[in-house]
Amino acid sequence: MPANDIRLSAITEVLTRTPVETTEIRPLSETWGCDVFNLATMEEALSKNAFKAMKRTVQTGETLDPATADVVAAAMKDWAMGKGAKFFSHVFYPLTNITAEKHDGFIVTNADGNAITEFTGSLLIKGEPDGSSFPNGSLRMTNAARGYTAWDPTSPAYIMQTQNGATLMIPSVFMSWTGEALDKKIPLLRSNAAMDTAARKVLALMGETDIAPLNSSCGAEQEYFLIDSHFAAARPDLLLAGRTLFGAPPAKGQEFDDHYFGAIPARVQVFMQEFEDRLYRLGIPAKTHHNEVAPGQFEIAPYFEAANVAADHQQLLMTVMKATAAEHGFMCLLHEKPFAGINGSGKHVNWSVGNATQGNLLDPGTSPEENLQFLVFCGAVIRGVHLYGPLLRAVIATASNDHRLGANEAPPAILSVYLGDQLEAVYADIEAGKVSASSDGGIMDLGLSQILPFTRDPGDRNRTSPFAFTGNRFEFRAVGSSQSVSGPLVAMNTMLADSLDWIAAKLETELGAGKELPEAVATVLQEVMELHGNAVFGGDGYSSEWHEAAVKERGLRNLPTSADALPVFTEQAVIDLFTSTGVLSAVELNSRYEVYAEQYINSVLVEAKLVMDLGKTVIYPAALGYLAELSATYAAVPALDTGVVDAIAANANGLMSTITELGAELEKHDFADTAEHMQHVATSIRGLMDQARVYADALEVDVADKAWPLPKYREMLFIR
Ligand code: ADP
Ligand code: MG
């Protein structure tokens, strides 16, 4: 079939498709968590003692003894088999952004040839996938290929229902034979522990005696696109790279703002209902959904949970979303920028820290006594963003997110922190020394009685900030839509741990010198603001003035591409941060740099090859075919003006010569190190890809619609 027929038949298929039937949605009371081995299930399935031990492990991280693990394993197996599971799998989170699993049967045969089922504590606790099949940086060179997964009892096991049957899934960590972290969960758990230790020091110095374990929380808003799978099938770039490498802008895009929060298309509603029903069964608290800014773009946000569980749930959400979309005839695009010129997708990571005794430490609350703790923790975040802004940039550095950051509809690549007018004023006063301790009971008087006590929203929203305070949490807005939330959470927890440690030492000195607590806090926070206040910015983060002032006047770093940002992992300050907090060893950190750099390079190289392939075999032939047709007509009708022939010929020539150049650049392999290789990819390769696109998109505008082979933007975005 000629290429353009593929496009035209895709349109016909989409227009004539039979709608997916709505499945029966059972009430939430019947479905909520029904596929999860959670505490409620365990209370029924376990003996009193075993349950108590498990609960302590889940809630305080206490180690489970082997005998109890055996009991839990047996109960888990019975529960899972009762739900039809014949297999179990340790699920883990390698350094790619995907989820990995290796399935094993419960079945074993005995000497008589009978099949019995077996699942012991040791099988539950440890799995053994091949470590060498996953990215591990240089760790594999120094260690055996063997890798281990180990059960994380703090994240509940669940049943994954697929068309292939049911499988018991066991959230796990993944490490090398020598115990080095090869995954995204180990550092998340360690960073939480580091934050807990440091926060405890500070809270104790502030007079707290009863301090429950501290945990970080995460609520992630996920943006995504849905396009009909017939269009996706006709776009090799969407299939292989998750984004369109070519495509002229449609006559109508998102200029009318008519999609955002508009009525959700019926077909998408049917998908969302089934998708969310599946999330509920898995105990994922889907809370809001709505249309996003771009046509075909949507958002889902679950209610926030403990960071470790939220991170596992976020991975699961992406998996379930893609699978459910496919069943509904959609391709779910998680790429940060699937369509040039149209808004991209992000994942806003809402983050706070707190515990059962002191509550959310990033909640300003309504009484000044609480504000003191709040001001210290919020000050610690300000210091963290200032010192480790480049790290925050590095943990969101991927080839795909580079298309979005700094693109005037997404946060800039410069990391600053937005506090809102009121808080900004409070910290400005602290910096200016305009705070005093009152005589009665040590309450801090900020001299801002017109503002305090805080209301819930001490500031407006600022969509242009990459890192914004939003009432009782920070929202890291620059995270990419396809990313695991782990990296960002690790960076935030770890920088907070470091800052709280620093503050604890300072506080101790001030208190030791005989200062009252409020005065000591004011002194330390004044120093925080003097040293780190430059990270606080409430203006327009998209503006070119800010890009200039941030760097020249504030000394902040602008790291526009991943090639600029990823080497931050090798900087001494970052190595010191991770090693001093015990979150990653220098070896583990460096292996991450190598893996992420390699992923960056490979992603761009795959795209570059696709640009060459599609340019040569799809777009160029379409242009030439149309030229042949035009030439015949012009020969027959000499009165016609032939200017369009020259335009098409020039763009076709331009496309092919750019592709030849790109081919030559791809042959270069002689780089001093990974950083230099990344720069080559970010500048030469990406530059030529962009150039090829300019020619191809100009051809799309000139070639007759019936002769154009690839589904167009207007079709993919508006037909469903
Ligand atoms: P908005 O679009 O206004 O930012 P959403 O309701 O879409 O808000 O998403 C906000 C996210 O922040 C939700 O996942 C919510 O559960 C989460 N969240 C709310 N409070 C906290 C908190 N204290 N810590 C972490 N996440 C939170
Ligand atoms: Mg938000």
Side-chain angles (χ1 to χ4, degrees):
M1 159 158 51
N4 53 331
D5 285 1
I6 296 180
R7 168 175 160 240
L8 299 178
S9 73
I11 298 175
T12 314
E13 293 277 0
V14 179
L15 290 174
T16 57
R17 67 173 317 123
T18 21
V20 175
E21 271 179 48
T22 27
T23 46
E24 193 215 335
I25 304 294
R26 285 186 292 148
L28 194 56
S29 56
E30 282 177 35
T31 50
W32 173 252
C34 70
D35 286 339
V36 188
F37 196 66
N38 53 21
L39 281 176
T41 314
M42 282 186 247
E43 189 160 22
E44 275 182 30
L46 298 175
S47 67
K48 249 204 172 87
N49 280 341
F51 175 68
K52 265 197 202 146
M54 219 13 230
K55 195 169 165 189
R56 274 198 307 274
T57 303
V58 172
Q59 291 178 346
T60 65
E62 195 177 295
T63 313
L64 202 66
D65 66 281
T68 311
D70 271 331
V71 175
V72 175
M76 217 187 250
K77 185 197 77 178
D78 290 344
W79 171 80
M81 290 189 67
K83 292 192 160 285
K86 293 191 188 70
F87 287 82
F88 67 93
S89 170
H90 287 94
V91 254
F92 55 102
Y93 311 93
L95 297 183
T96 56
N97 285 308
I98 57 146
T99 308
E101 42 194 77
K102 179 191 173 210
H103 296 197
D104 280 297
F106 286 122
I107 193 169
V108 285
T109 49
N110 63 17
D112 307 327
N114 293 324
I116 53 165
T117 58
E118 189 186 75
F119 192 56
T120 58
S122 60
L123 282 173
L124 166 64
I125 289 170
K126 193 187 87 186
E128 205 176 319
D130 178 3
S132 64
S133 318
F134 295 95
N136 51 29
S138 51
L139 285 180
R140 197 184 149 222
M141 259 77 94
T142 46
N143 301 302
R146 205 187 272 270
Y148 292 117
T149 49
W151 174 39
D152 168 18
T154 59
S155 181
Y158 56 92
I159 302 279
M160 191 68 165
Q161 310 271 8
T162 67
Q163 270 148 0
N164 266 336
T167 305
L168 169 66
M169 308 297 273
I170 303 158
S172 303
V173 297
F174 179 44
M175 69 197 90
S176 72
W177 186 67
T178 43
E180 269 118 1
L182 289 176
D183 74 347
K184 292 186 177 265
K185 190 190 259 289
I186 292 175
L188 181 52
L189 294 170
R190 287 181 188 154
S191 71
N192 203 66
M195 183 278 295
D196 173 61
T197 309
R200 254 162 213 291
K201 267 190 237 165
V202 170
L203 290 173
L205 284 166
M206 295 183 80
E208 297 286 355
T209 46
D210 183 15
I211 308 170
L214 284 111
N215 218 333
S216 48
S217 296
C218 162
E221 301 160 57
Q222 172 80 55
E223 295 176 341
Y224 61 99
F225 279 85
L226 289 179
I227 64 159
D228 192 278
S229 44
H230 289 99
F231 291 134
R235 296 272 329 198
D237 47 358
L238 278 181
L239 287 182
L240 296 185
R243 74 170 176 119
T244 55
L245 295 169
F246 303 106
K252 179 184 181 218
Q254 61 194 46
E255 48 277 89
F256 298 110
D257 284 333
D258 51 357
H259 184 67
Y260 194 43
F261 282 0
I264 298 170
R267 195 182 153 195
V268 175
Q269 282 211 18
V270 175
F271 152 77
M272 280 182 174
Q273 238 176 46
E274 182 155 20
F275 166 43
E276 283 160 11
D277 189 54
R278 289 178 182 180
L279 294 183
Y280 290 146
R281 298 176 65 95
L282 292 163
I284 301 177
K287 180 112 169 84
T288 59
H289 61 223
H290 56 80
N291 288 355
E292 258 303 325
V293 176
Q297 193 187 25
F298 307 91
E299 175 181 305
I300 175 161
Y303 197 68
F304 70 100
E305 302 178 278
N308 177 39
V309 174
D312 289 1
H313 278 171
Q314 227 288 310
Q315 293 297 112
L316 189 51
L317 178 146
M318 291 194 284
T319 306
V320 174
M321 178 154 61
K322 281 193 213 155
T324 312
E327 288 170 33
H328 285 249
F330 286 121
M331 184 178 188
C332 170
L333 300 174
L334 293 180
H335 194 285
E336 284 75 2
K337 194 77 178 173
F339 304 99
I342 302 284
N343 260 30
S345 300
K347 178 139 54 197
H348 299 167
V349 177
N350 292 271
W351 165 79
S352 63
V353 299
N355 64 5
T357 40
Q358 278 72 39
N360 175 2
L361 289 153
L362 289 173
D363 188 343
T366 46
S367 57
E369 295 94 320
E370 282 166 9
N371 284 346
L372 209 58
Q373 277 177 5
F374 163 76
L375 289 172
V376 165
F377 276 74
C378 185
V381 175
I382 295 171
R383 177 183 180 272
V385 175
H386 185 244
L387 277 181
Y388 303 111
L391 172 66
L392 292 172
R393 171 66 185 96
V395 296
I396 54 166
T398 60
S400 49
N401 209 19
D402 279 2
H403 293 280
R404 175 177 162 260
L405 296 182
N408 263 345
E409 36 102 348
I414 305 166
L415 261 294
S416 62
V417 52
Y418 171 78
L419 296 178
D421 292 344
Q422 298 181 354
L423 269 186
E424 210 177 295
V426 170
Y427 280 100
D429 274 8
I430 291 173
E431 183 172 2
K434 284 197 251 166
V435 288
S436 55
S438 79
S439 48
D440 59 336
I443 291 168
M444 184 140 78
D445 174 8
L446 292 160
L448 284 169
S449 50
Q450 75 278 23
I451 286 168
L452 293 173
F454 285 92
T455 55
R456 284 270 152 178
D457 293 313
D460 196 4
R461 292 289 178 100
N462 184 331
R463 292 178 63 90
T464 69
S465 174
F467 203 93
F469 184 71
T470 51
N472 63 355
R473 61 192 185 266
F474 280 91
E475 183 174 349
F476 191 3
R477 303 173 53 87
V479 180
S481 50
S482 65
Q483 267 194 279
S484 153
V485 295
S486 258
L489 288 169
V490 168
M492 292 188 282
N493 284 343
T494 309
M495 76 183 195
L496 182 61
D498 178 74
S499 284
L500 289 172
D501 246 348
W502 184 88
I503 287 177
K506 294 275 173 186
L507 264 185
E508 205 164 6
T509 310
E510 297 300 329
L511 292 170
K515 277 192 186 158
E516 290 293 317
L517 180 65
E519 211 188 336
V521 166
T523 310
V524 175
L525 287 180
Q526 186 176 16
E527 191 175 347
V528 166
M529 290 311 289
E530 276 164 7
L531 293 173
H532 306 292
N534 271 351
V536 178
F537 177 62
D540 179 3
Y542 295 169
S543 70
S544 51
E545 295 81 50
W546 168 241
H547 280 78
E548 200 172 305
V551 176
K552 286 204 185 124
E553 288 157 30
R554 306 274 195 117
L556 304 180
R557 280 161 73 188
N558 186 5
L559 303 168
T561 71
S562 295
D564 304 316
L566 286 172
V568 167
F569 283 119
T570 64
E571 290 174 5
Q572 196 55 47
V574 169
I575 299 174
D576 291 345
L577 171 71
F578 280 110
T579 50
S580 68
T581 47
V583 173
L584 288 170
S585 70
V587 176
E588 287 172 329
L589 184 63
N590 191 60
S591 79
R592 268 150 222 265
Y593 167 63
E594 291 293 340
V595 170
Y596 299 149
E598 193 181 306
Q599 273 168 5
Y600 169 71
I601 292 168
N602 286 340
S603 318
V604 180
L605 294 189
V606 164
E607 290 190 348
K609 287 181 208 156
L610 266 170
V611 164
M612 294 179 63
D613 183 5
L614 292 180
K616 272 197 282 201
T617 65
V618 177
I619 293 174
Y620 187 68
L624 261 54
Y626 183 54
L627 274 182
E629 207 181 298
L630 281 182
S631 312
T633 312
Y634 290 139
V637 190
L640 285 171
D641 182 349
T642 60
V644 69
V645 171
D646 299 331
I648 294 177
N651 285 321
N653 287 337
L655 175 65
M656 290 309 271
S657 64
T658 309
I659 283 175
T660 308
E661 252 184 278
L662 188 52
E665 288 302 312
L666 286 177
E667 286 306 307
K668 294 192 177 155
H669 298 294
D670 201 14
F671 303 106
D673 55 21
T674 315
E676 195 182 295
H677 194 180
M678 282 198 289
Q679 284 299 341
H680 177 252
V681 162
T683 50
S684 303
I685 305 281
R686 283 276 324 266
L688 287 165
M689 287 167 59
D690 291 346
Q691 185 58 48
R693 179 174 190 145
V694 171
Y695 291 121
D697 291 357
L699 288 170
E700 183 180 331
V701 172
D702 278 342
V703 169
D705 185 63
K706 69 173 169 53
W708 194 254
L710 297 170
K712 295 187 171 182
Y713 272 28
R714 62 168 186 248
E715 293 150 4
M716 292 186 284
L717 293 170
F718 291 103
I719 307 181
R720 73 176 57 82

Short mmCIF file of all heavy atoms in Angstrom, two decimals, residues 561-587:
data_model
loop_
_atom_site.label_atom_id
_atom_site.label_comp_id
_atom_site.label_asym_id
_atom_site.label_seq_id
_atom_site.Cartn_x
_atom_site.Cartn_y
_atom_site.Cartn_z
N THR A 561 20.94 22.08 28.84
CA THR A 561 20.76 20.72 28.31
C THR A 561 21.23 19.68 29.32
O THR A 561 21.96 19.98 30.27
CB THR A 561 21.56 20.50 27.02
OG1 THR A 561 22.96 20.45 27.36
CG2 THR A 561 21.33 21.61 26.00
N SER A 562 20.85 18.45 29.07
CA SER A 562 21.31 17.34 29.91
C SER A 562 22.83 17.22 29.86
O SER A 562 23.46 16.83 30.84
CB SER A 562 20.69 16.02 29.45
OG SER A 562 19.31 16.06 29.63
N ALA A 563 23.39 17.55 28.70
CA ALA A 563 24.85 17.48 28.56
C ALA A 563 25.52 18.45 29.53
O ALA A 563 26.60 18.20 30.04
CB ALA A 563 25.25 17.79 27.12
N ASP A 564 24.84 19.58 29.79
CA ASP A 564 25.37 20.54 30.76
C ASP A 564 25.09 20.09 32.19
O ASP A 564 25.89 20.34 33.10
CB ASP A 564 24.71 21.92 30.56
CG ASP A 564 24.86 22.44 29.14
OD1 ASP A 564 25.98 22.31 28.60
OD2 ASP A 564 23.88 22.95 28.58
N ALA A 565 23.93 19.45 32.38
CA ALA A 565 23.48 19.18 33.75
C ALA A 565 24.03 17.88 34.34
O ALA A 565 24.37 17.84 35.53
CB ALA A 565 21.95 19.14 33.77
N LEU A 566 24.13 16.82 33.54
CA LEU A 566 24.49 15.53 34.12
C LEU A 566 25.87 15.51 34.78
O LEU A 566 26.06 14.85 35.81
CB LEU A 566 24.36 14.41 33.07
CG LEU A 566 22.91 14.02 32.75
CD1 LEU A 566 22.83 13.05 31.57
CD2 LEU A 566 22.22 13.41 33.97
N PRO A 567 26.87 16.24 34.22
CA PRO A 567 28.19 16.22 34.88
C PRO A 567 28.17 16.75 36.32
O PRO A 567 29.13 16.55 37.07
CB PRO A 567 29.05 17.11 33.97
CG PRO A 567 28.42 16.96 32.62
CD PRO A 567 26.94 16.89 32.91
N VAL A 568 27.07 17.40 36.72
CA VAL A 568 26.96 17.85 38.12
C VAL A 568 27.13 16.67 39.08
O VAL A 568 27.66 16.81 40.18
CB VAL A 568 25.59 18.54 38.34
CG1 VAL A 568 25.29 18.74 39.81
CG2 VAL A 568 25.54 19.88 37.59
N PHE A 569 26.71 15.47 38.63
CA PHE A 569 26.87 14.28 39.47
C PHE A 569 28.33 13.98 39.81
O PHE A 569 28.61 13.23 40.73
CB PHE A 569 26.29 13.04 38.77
CG PHE A 569 24.79 12.96 38.81
CD1 PHE A 569 24.06 12.94 37.64
CD2 PHE A 569 24.11 12.89 40.02
CE1 PHE A 569 22.67 12.86 37.67
CE2 PHE A 569 22.73 12.82 40.06
CZ PHE A 569 22.00 12.80 38.88
N THR A 570 29.24 14.54 39.04
CA THR A 570 30.65 14.25 39.29
C THR A 570 31.34 15.38 40.07
O THR A 570 32.53 15.31 40.33
CB THR A 570 31.42 14.02 37.97
OG1 THR A 570 31.38 15.26 37.22
CG2 THR A 570 30.78 12.93 37.13
N GLU A 571 30.57 16.43 40.41
CA GLU A 571 31.19 17.55 41.14
C GLU A 571 31.40 17.19 42.61
O GLU A 571 30.58 16.51 43.21
CB GLU A 571 30.31 18.80 40.99
CG GLU A 571 30.34 19.34 39.56
CD GLU A 571 29.36 20.50 39.32
OE1 GLU A 571 28.71 20.95 40.29
OE2 GLU A 571 29.26 20.93 38.16
N GLN A 572 32.50 17.72 43.15
CA GLN A 572 32.88 17.34 44.51
C GLN A 572 31.78 17.66 45.53
O GLN A 572 31.50 16.85 46.42
CB GLN A 572 34.19 18.05 44.91
CG GLN A 572 34.87 17.43 46.12
CD GLN A 572 35.14 15.94 45.96
OE1 GLN A 572 35.64 15.48 44.94
NE2 GLN A 572 34.77 15.14 46.96
N ALA A 573 31.13 18.81 45.40
CA ALA A 573 30.10 19.19 46.39
C ALA A 573 28.98 18.16 46.42
O ALA A 573 28.43 17.86 47.49
CB ALA A 573 29.53 20.57 46.04
N VAL A 574 28.65 17.62 45.26
CA VAL A 574 27.56 16.64 45.18
C VAL A 574 28.02 15.28 45.71
O VAL A 574 27.28 14.60 46.44
CB VAL A 574 27.03 16.55 43.73
CG1 VAL A 574 26.08 15.38 43.55
CG2 VAL A 574 26.33 17.86 43.36
N ILE A 575 29.25 14.92 45.39
CA ILE A 575 29.80 13.67 45.96
C ILE A 575 29.80 13.77 47.48
O ILE A 575 29.37 12.86 48.19
CB ILE A 575 31.23 13.42 45.44
CG1 ILE A 575 31.20 13.27 43.90
CG2 ILE A 575 31.83 12.17 46.09
CD1 ILE A 575 32.57 13.17 43.26
N ASP A 576 30.25 14.93 48.00
CA ASP A 576 30.28 15.12 49.45
C ASP A 576 28.87 15.04 50.05
O ASP A 576 28.68 14.46 51.12
CB ASP A 576 30.90 16.48 49.80
CG ASP A 576 32.40 16.51 49.47
OD1 ASP A 576 32.97 15.43 49.26
OD2 ASP A 576 32.97 17.63 49.43
N LEU A 577 27.92 15.65 49.36
CA LEU A 577 26.54 15.63 49.86
C LEU A 577 26.05 14.19 50.03
O LEU A 577 25.54 13.81 51.08
CB LEU A 577 25.61 16.37 48.88
CG LEU A 577 24.11 16.23 49.17
CD1 LEU A 577 23.71 17.00 50.41
CD2 LEU A 577 23.26 16.68 47.98
N PHE A 578 26.24 13.37 48.98
CA PHE A 578 25.68 12.02 49.03
C PHE A 578 26.48 11.10 49.96
O PHE A 578 25.89 10.24 50.62
CB PHE A 578 25.62 11.42 47.62
CG PHE A 578 24.41 11.91 46.85
CD1 PHE A 578 24.56 12.77 45.78
CD2 PHE A 578 23.14 11.52 47.23
CE1 PHE A 578 23.44 13.24 45.08
CE2 PHE A 578 22.02 11.98 46.54
CZ PHE A 578 22.17 12.84 45.46
N THR A 579 27.79 11.30 50.02
CA THR A 579 28.55 10.40 50.88
C THR A 579 28.38 10.78 52.35
O THR A 579 28.23 9.91 53.20
CB THR A 579 30.05 10.38 50.50
OG1 THR A 579 30.50 11.75 50.41
CG2 THR A 579 30.28 9.72 49.17
N SER A 580 28.34 12.09 52.64
CA SER A 580 28.22 12.49 54.06
C SER A 580 26.87 12.10 54.63
O SER A 580 26.75 11.80 55.81
CB SER A 580 28.44 14.00 54.21
OG SER A 580 27.37 14.69 53.63
N THR A 581 25.84 12.05 53.81
CA THR A 581 24.52 11.67 54.31
C THR A 581 24.30 10.16 54.22
O THR A 581 23.28 9.65 54.70
CB THR A 581 23.41 12.36 53.48
OG1 THR A 581 23.72 12.19 52.09
CG2 THR A 581 23.32 13.84 53.78
N GLY A 582 25.24 9.46 53.60
CA GLY A 582 25.11 8.00 53.48
C GLY A 582 24.08 7.56 52.46
O GLY A 582 23.64 6.41 52.46
N VAL A 583 23.68 8.44 51.58
CA VAL A 583 22.63 8.09 50.62
C VAL A 583 23.20 7.32 49.43
O VAL A 583 22.62 6.34 48.97
CB VAL A 583 21.87 9.35 50.16
CG1 VAL A 583 20.88 9.03 49.05
CG2 VAL A 583 21.13 9.97 51.36
N LEU A 584 24.36 7.74 48.93
CA LEU A 584 25.03 7.01 47.85
C LEU A 584 26.53 7.11 48.08
O LEU A 584 27.05 8.18 48.43
CB LEU A 584 24.70 7.64 46.48
CG LEU A 584 23.30 7.45 45.91
CD1 LEU A 584 23.10 8.34 44.69
CD2 LEU A 584 23.04 5.99 45.54
N SER A 585 27.23 6.00 47.86
CA SER A 585 28.69 6.06 47.92
C SER A 585 29.19 6.73 46.64
O SER A 585 28.44 6.86 45.67
CB SER A 585 29.26 4.65 48.03
OG SER A 585 29.05 3.97 46.79
N ALA A 586 30.46 7.11 46.66
CA ALA A 586 31.02 7.76 45.47
C ALA A 586 30.91 6.84 44.25
O ALA A 586 30.62 7.28 43.14
CB ALA A 586 32.47 8.15 45.73
N VAL A 587 31.13 5.54 44.49
CA VAL A 587 31.05 4.57 43.39
C VAL A 587 29.62 4.48 42.85
O VAL A 587 29.38 4.48 41.64
CB VAL A 587 31.53 3.18 43.88
CG1 VAL A 587 31.35 2.13 42.79
CG2 VAL A 587 32.98 3.25 44.32
#
